[in-house]
């Protein structure tokens, strides 16, 4: 019999996002202040053995899919070792990675060999000087080159995530959509969320998904389409006539998808968060380190997973940057 974990509203929880670090080699304008954040001390961060131990204990309760994220996960040394440990857990069917892509050309092959299934690459511009301005770093990196490296290593289907900001990169929506004509990639446009310390951004920078899709439709016939075979999350997918890939929109600001939420998050310091926003979290790390069973804590957390996030109503206190909660 297959075991499932069900939350208080009947949603099956099978997907865990694991943040392996709160640090990053970028300082994206919508995610982190230029000077960085107050980083967690190393002793507070879960070791790879601890992460794998927690997943091993929870997997029999119904976890099937994992995503490694951060901060920027690829800056944590020897990430392939964690991937291999997670791959060895029998119940886990799918392991994905979210990355800004800077280190993918160097690391993609080792990740694949360790058992990674696929990557999501965040890319907010295709123009070098603009990438540097949005990420506040000049790392001389080309997202298309990184996506090709991931594809060559067998880490498909490749998803490219673009946070659309009015007046900053919204003039590139069409350029990103054109990538799907020739590449079997899934380009997903994400509505900007007003979280963290976005000092330079306001609600006026949010571009609703309807407007994004209108722009894409200016270059060809756009019809609702099937998304990638694996890892269908909250995105809605469309296809340009004759294209190899798809275009998707992720709409946290204009439409919520909380009713079908199947995920929880493990922060770098071992908190299980049941919602991206708000203060719904339990400390698994201390229990795990003390040798106590974490299963009752996991069940308790699911029993209080909220029905929907409160971002739209702006009722959320202390909005944390996504880099701190494993966005
Ligand atoms: N560093 C990795 C990356 O950038 O893909 C993984 C962590 S990052 C926090 C995960 C995703 O959150 C990225 O796709 C990023 O663009 C998105 N993100 C972060 N802050 C956001 C915001 N304020 N609004 C919308 N998306 C955001
Ligand atoms: Fe780093 Fe990702 Fe946040 Fe950008 S979005 S600062 S790459 S964690």
């Amino acid at each position: 019999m297959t075991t499932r974990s069900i939350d208080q509203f009947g949603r099956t929880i099978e997907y865990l996002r694991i943040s392996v670090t709160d640090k990053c080699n970028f300082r994206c304008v919508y995610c982190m202040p230029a000077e960085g954040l107050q980083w967690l001390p190393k002793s507070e961060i879960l070791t790879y053995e601890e992460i794998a131990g927690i997943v091993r204990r929870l997997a029999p309760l119904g976890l099937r899919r994992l995503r490694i994220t951060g901060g920027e996960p690829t800056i944590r040394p020897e990430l392939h070792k964690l991937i291999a440990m997670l791959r060895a857990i029998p119940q886990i069917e799918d392991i994905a990675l979210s990355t800004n892509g800077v280190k993918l050309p160097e690391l993609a092959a080792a990740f694949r060999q360790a058992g990674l299934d696929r990557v999501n690459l965040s890319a907010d511009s295709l123009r070098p000087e603009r990438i540097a301005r949005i990420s506040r770093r000049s790392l001389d990196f080309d997202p298309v080159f990184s996506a090709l490296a991931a594809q060559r290593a067998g880490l498909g289907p490749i998803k490219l995530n673009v946070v659309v900001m009015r007046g900053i990169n919204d003039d590139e929506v069409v350029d990103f959509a054109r990538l799907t004509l020739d590449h079997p990639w899934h380009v997903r446009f994400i509505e900007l969320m007003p979280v963290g310390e976005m000092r330079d951004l306001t609600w006026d920078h949010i571009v609703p998904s309807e407007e994004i899709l209108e722009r894409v439709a200016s270059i060809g016939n756009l019809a609702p389409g099937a998304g990638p075979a694996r890892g269908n999350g909250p995105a809605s997918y469309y296809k340009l006539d004759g294209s190899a890939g798809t275009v998707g929109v992720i709409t946290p600001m204009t439409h919520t998808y909380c009713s079908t939420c199947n995920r929880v998050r493990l922060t770098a310091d071992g908190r299980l968060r049941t919602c991206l926003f708000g203060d719904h979290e339990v400390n698994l790390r201390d229990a795990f380190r003390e040798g106590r069973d974490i299963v009752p804590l996991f069940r308790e957390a699911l029993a209080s997973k909220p029905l929907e996030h409160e971002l739209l109503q702006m009722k959320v206190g202390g909005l944390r940057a996504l880099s701190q909660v494993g966005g």
Side-chain angles (χ1 to χ4, degrees):
M1 195 184 74
T2 326
T3 311
R4 293 196 301 158
S5 281
I6 313 277
D7 78 356
Q8 60 168 336
F9 298 106
R11 294 169 294 195
T12 300
I13 307 301
E14 55 154 40
Y15 177 28
L16 178 68
R17 296 175 72 103
I18 303 169
S19 173
V20 295
T21 179
D22 56 336
K23 292 190 185 147
C24 191
N25 46 359
F26 274 4
R27 295 286 181 275
C28 298
V29 286
Y30 48 74
C31 186
M32 281 190 197
E35 65 277 15
L37 294 162
Q38 181 142 25
W39 311 124
L40 291 164
K42 195 166 174 217
S43 61
E44 300 216 354
I45 293 191
L46 294 175
T47 64
Y48 289 162
E49 285 72 18
E50 287 171 333
I51 294 173
I54 288 173
V55 176
R56 219 175 282 124
R57 184 72 189 107
L58 298 182
L61 304 183
L63 290 185
R64 296 289 171 267
R65 302 197 285 125
L66 304 177
R67 172 171 300 281
I68 300 171
T69 179
E72 175 48 42
T74 61
I75 64 169
R76 186 152 169 188
E78 304 191 301
L79 188 64
H80 62 278
K81 290 192 174 165
L82 174 67
I83 295 168
M85 288 180 202
L86 297 173
R87 183 80 278 167
I89 300 173
Q91 295 86 355
I92 299 304
E93 293 165 7
D94 184 47
I95 308 178
L97 172 78
S98 284
T99 174
N100 59 28
V102 171
K103 289 173 84 92
L104 270 185
E106 178 194 331
L107 297 173
F111 288 168
R112 179 69 190 135
Q113 214 177 356
L116 185 70
D117 289 306
R118 57 200 176 83
V119 295
N120 283 15
L121 208 152
S122 301
D124 301 323
S125 174
L126 298 169
R127 306 178 193 174
E129 73 293 347
R130 192 177 274 181
I131 295 173
R133 210 170 329 126
I134 295 173
S135 68
R136 301 198 191 97
R137 287 288 183 273
S138 298
L139 298 181
D140 192 22
F141 119 98
D142 173 358
V144 171
F145 184 74
S146 287
L148 287 169
Q151 189 177 316
R152 264 196 310 275
L155 293 172
I158 307 286
K159 296 180 190 166
L160 281 177
N161 289 339
V162 187
V163 177
V164 184
M165 293 164 279
R166 194 180 300 287
I168 295 181
N169 66 347
D170 59 330
D171 55 344
E172 288 188 70
V173 163
V174 158
D175 296 339
F176 272 107
R178 277 208 182 93
L179 288 176
T180 70
L181 295 175
D182 296 330
H183 302 284
W185 298 344
H186 305 280
V187 170
R188 294 135 33 110
F189 297 104
I190 306 178
E191 288 172 348
L192 175 69
M193 291 181 273
V195 296
E197 296 188 46
M198 305 195 318
R199 281 175 210 155
D200 304 329
L201 298 173
T202 67
W203 284 61
D204 294 339
H205 287 96
I206 297 170
V207 183
S209 60
E210 283 76 8
E211 193 179 328
I212 294 169
L213 290 171
E214 259 170 44
R215 294 190 194 189
V216 176
S218 72
I219 57 165
N221 188 36
L222 186 69
R230 282 187 298 171
N232 254 328
S236 309
Y237 288 95
Y238 300 82
K239 200 168 169 55
L240 282 164
D241 261 2
S243 65
T246 67
V247 169
V249 284
I250 301 180
T251 57
M253 298 310 296
T254 57
H255 309 82
T256 72
Y257 30 75
C258 303
S259 63
T260 55
C261 182
N262 60 355
R263 60 194 59 193
V264 289
R265 297 177 155 78
L266 184 64
T267 64
D269 58 348
R271 267 77 179 153
L272 186 82
R273 289 183 70 88
T274 55
C275 183
L276 188 49
F277 308 107
D279 289 327
H280 312 275
E281 62 180 33
V282 296
N283 181 343
L284 294 188
R285 183 197 63 197
D286 290 352
F288 189 81
R289 285 186 177 171
E290 289 160 15
R292 284 188 279 131
D293 190 8
I294 57 171
V295 167
L297 292 174
F298 182 69
R299 292 202 198 284
E300 200 181 293
L302 292 200
S304 59
K305 181 170 162 68
L307 182 58
E308 61 184 358
H309 69 69
E310 296 172 334
L311 187 60
L312 301 182
Q313 300 95 312
M314 288 311 280
K315 279 193 273 176
V316 190
L319 288 170
R320 292 218 261 165
L322 263 60
S323 63
Q324 293 174 302
V325 293

